[in-house]
Amino acid sequence: MALESDVARNLDEIRSRMAEAARAAGRDPSAVELVAVSKLQPEERIEAALRAGQRIFGENRVQEAAGRWPALRERFEGLTLHLIGPLQTNKVRQAVELFDVIETVDRPRLAKALADEMERSGRRPKCLIQVNTGAEPQKSGVLPPEADAFIESCRREHGLPVVGLMCIPPQDEEPAPHFALLRKIAERHDLEVLSMGMSADFEIAIRFGATHVRVGSALFGERPKAP
Ligand SMILES: *Cc1c(COP(=O)(O)O)cnc(C)c1O
């Protein structure tokens, strides 16, 4: 699985499955983007994806992304980097500098810290609000009943460039109702971006309106365990 041709072949296959899922849902395939989730993956697999033309990547830790992407940005043009993991307020400065999209805005203190840092630096990465659709205690994200008020306050009070929503459904449940809920909340706020769907369920997510699917292991192979 470490072979360059494997990553290129997986990429091809995932792209065709995405296009097929979009067409089956009566959607334009170009309206769905692939976020290649590169967390914990060896560099050679990431470079293989880059050489095969992939340009949108997702990382879940600021520190790990900071160690890898500045150098890759110098070698590969047109990269877009998404933060898809929880963001601590003490990492906000680094995150705003490094990422183009922050998918995990989920609490007032973080919203305020992001707004302050954007004001200070002049950099304005796009923001998604993470919704904990399954109301799982161990998971990040704003709870569904609090989502409307939080989205409003991120936009109006903090002036954040909020463009959409993100969710990670509970592992042991049907994902479809969670995707449907996320879409419903997004529609209430005229938000265009829906980041939902991973290796196991991206086609279902596309059926429910995903504009971004976050695919890691199906593209790069199994991840080494987190240290
Ligand atoms: C790791 C991760 C993914 C990718 O998961 P796979 O099952 O490997 O595709 C997607 N989204 C988030 C938030 C993740 O942390």
Side-chain angles (χ1 to χ4, degrees), residues 37 39 60 84-85 166 168 197-200 214-218 221 223:
V37 176
K39 65 181 183 200
N60 76 332
I84 61 171
M166 175 268 215
I168 311 170
M198 319 201 317
S199 289
R214 308 178 307 266
V215 178
S217 43
R223 277 180 289 279

Side-chain angles (χ1 to χ4, degrees), residues 114-124:
L114 282 167
D116 289 349
E117 178 56 22
M118 288 187 196
E119 173 79 26
R120 193 198 66 82
S121 66
R123 259 187 67 82
R124 289 177 67 73

Side-chain angles (χ1 to χ4, degrees), residues 35-39 41 59-60 83-86 103-104 130 166-168 171 195 197-202 213-219 221-223:
V35 179
V37 176
S38 48
K39 65 181 183 200
Q41 294 288 356
E59 289 279 355
N60 76 332
L83 177 63
I84 61 171
E103 297 204 10
T104 50
Q130 181 176 357
M166 175 268 215
C167 77
I168 311 170
Q171 241 175 358
S195 171
M198 319 201 317
S199 289
D201 56 16
F202 67 86
V213 294
R214 308 178 307 266
V215 178
S217 43
L219 172 58
E222 284 310 310
R223 277 180 289 279

Side-chain angles (χ1 to χ4, degrees), residues 34-154:
L34 173 63
V35 179
V37 176
S38 48
K39 65 181 183 200
L40 298 173
Q41 294 288 356
E43 181 111 352
E44 65 265 19
R45 297 187 193 170
I46 297 170
E47 293 202 18
L50 283 161
R51 279 192 292 272
Q54 177 64 25
R55 286 295 179 272
I56 309 177
F57 290 84
E59 289 279 355
N60 76 332
R61 291 186 190 183
V62 176
Q63 221 54 50
E64 189 187 347
R68 157 188 283 170
W69 286 100
L72 288 172
R73 275 200 203 270
E74 295 199 350
R75 293 173 44 210
F76 296 92
E77 296 211 332
L79 291 185
T80 302
L81 204 52
H82 290 228
L83 177 63
I84 61 171
L87 177 56
Q88 307 302 319
T89 46
N90 64 1
K91 298 264 169 60
V92 159
R93 181 162 295 191
Q94 217 178 355
V96 166
E97 190 181 313
L98 197 58
F99 290 95
D100 305 290
V101 181
I102 296 178
E103 297 204 10
T104 50
V105 182
D106 67 348
R107 57 198 191 279
R109 223 165 81 82
L110 176 59
K112 166 86 168 74
L114 282 167
D116 289 349
E117 178 56 22
M118 288 187 196
E119 173 79 26
R120 193 198 66 82
S121 66
R123 259 187 67 82
R124 289 177 67 73
K126 291 175 183 166
C127 293
L128 308 188
I129 308 297
Q130 181 176 357
V131 182
N132 186 357
T133 55
E136 295 173 281
Q138 81 286 7
K139 207 165 261 176
S140 316
V142 63
L143 293 171
E146 290 156 21
D148 290 326
F150 183 62
I151 294 164
E152 279 294 302
S153 108
C154 283

